[in-house]
Amino acid sequence: MRKIVLFAITSVLLSCHQTKVDTKAEGEKIIQLSKEWAQTASQGDLEKTVSYWGEDAILISAGEPVLKGKNEIKNMVEESFKIPGFRISWQPQSVVVSESGDMAYLIEDSQVSFPDSTGKLITQKNKAVSIWRKQSDGSWKNVVDISTPAPQNQ
């Protein structure tokens, strides 16, 4: 009986000493990652651009099929980079990190430029949410990316 009580007390004491996550610092890391990723994507570096997504990532864009997994996303990015005049950029606006420090989301503004059916270059402004998951090695990967056209007046 003593062993059970001792084990219970030890378990409670150990659970009280969990390290508190610095969510602000983790959020700053994710914002910096997003900025680096945007820079990489603007330069057309396929492998490095795709490296920011997790293996099981999901990409949801208005009017497009849902892409599941890094391979489907990589194929889409590769085809996009081949389009003459294609450009993409984004700016993180805010971040929220879970108290446990293993998940986070960013709200972002993005712009995608591409030629229309006549060849005229157009720019689509979007609002986006990206969900990030901390990996076992401590790095962050994007696991859900959702983008929709921004209202015309923004």
Side-chain angles (χ1 to χ4, degrees):
M1 181 68 158
R2 273 192 205 180
K3 288 183 181 179
I4 293 172
V5 171
L6 185 57
F7 176 76
I9 291 171
T10 303
S11 296
V12 169
L13 291 174
L14 288 176
S15 68
C16 293
H17 292 296
Q18 292 179 348
T19 305
K20 184 168 170 56
V21 175
D22 184 345
T23 57
K24 184 176 180 183
E26 291 299 317
E28 289 170 5
K29 285 181 196 175
I30 296 165
I31 285 176
Q32 186 58 39
L33 273 173
S34 180
K35 289 177 179 179
E36 290 170 10
W37 190 11
Q39 179 65 31
T40 298
S42 74
Q43 296 169 349
D45 184 332
L46 176 64
E47 294 303 323
K48 192 167 180 185
T49 296
V50 174
S51 74
Y52 288 85
W53 275 292
E55 292 298 323
D56 59 345
I58 296 172
L59 180 67
I60 302 171
S61 298
E64 298 293 327
V66 173
L67 301 178
K68 296 180 181 178
K70 199 178 226 179
N71 287 334
E72 285 187 14
I73 294 169
K74 180 179 181 178
N75 291 338
M76 180 275 303
V77 171
E78 184 173 29
E79 292 305 310
S80 296
F81 283 170
K82 291 178 183 177
I83 298 170
F86 174 84
R87 296 286 179 262
I88 186 167
S89 63
W90 63 89
Q91 304 78 32
Q93 301 301 309
S94 64
V95 64
V96 174
V97 178
S98 66
E99 285 186 33
S100 60
D102 60 348
M103 297 288 291
Y105 68 86
L106 280 173
I107 304 296
E108 299 162 310
D109 291 331
S110 67
Q111 305 79 41
V112 181
S113 298
F114 53 91
D116 67 10
S117 60
T118 67
K120 179 184 172 193
L121 197 61
I122 60 171
T123 299
Q124 170 69 54
K125 293 184 178 187
N126 298 300
K127 292 291 188 182
V129 175
S130 61
I131 301 173
W132 295 71
R133 180 174 56 216
K134 193 171 225 181
Q135 307 299 295
S136 59
D137 67 358
S139 67
W140 287 94
K141 296 286 183 179
N142 178 285
V143 292
V144 179
D145 215 336
I146 304 169
S147 181
T148 189
Q152 292 291 339
N153 59 356
Q154 289 189 342

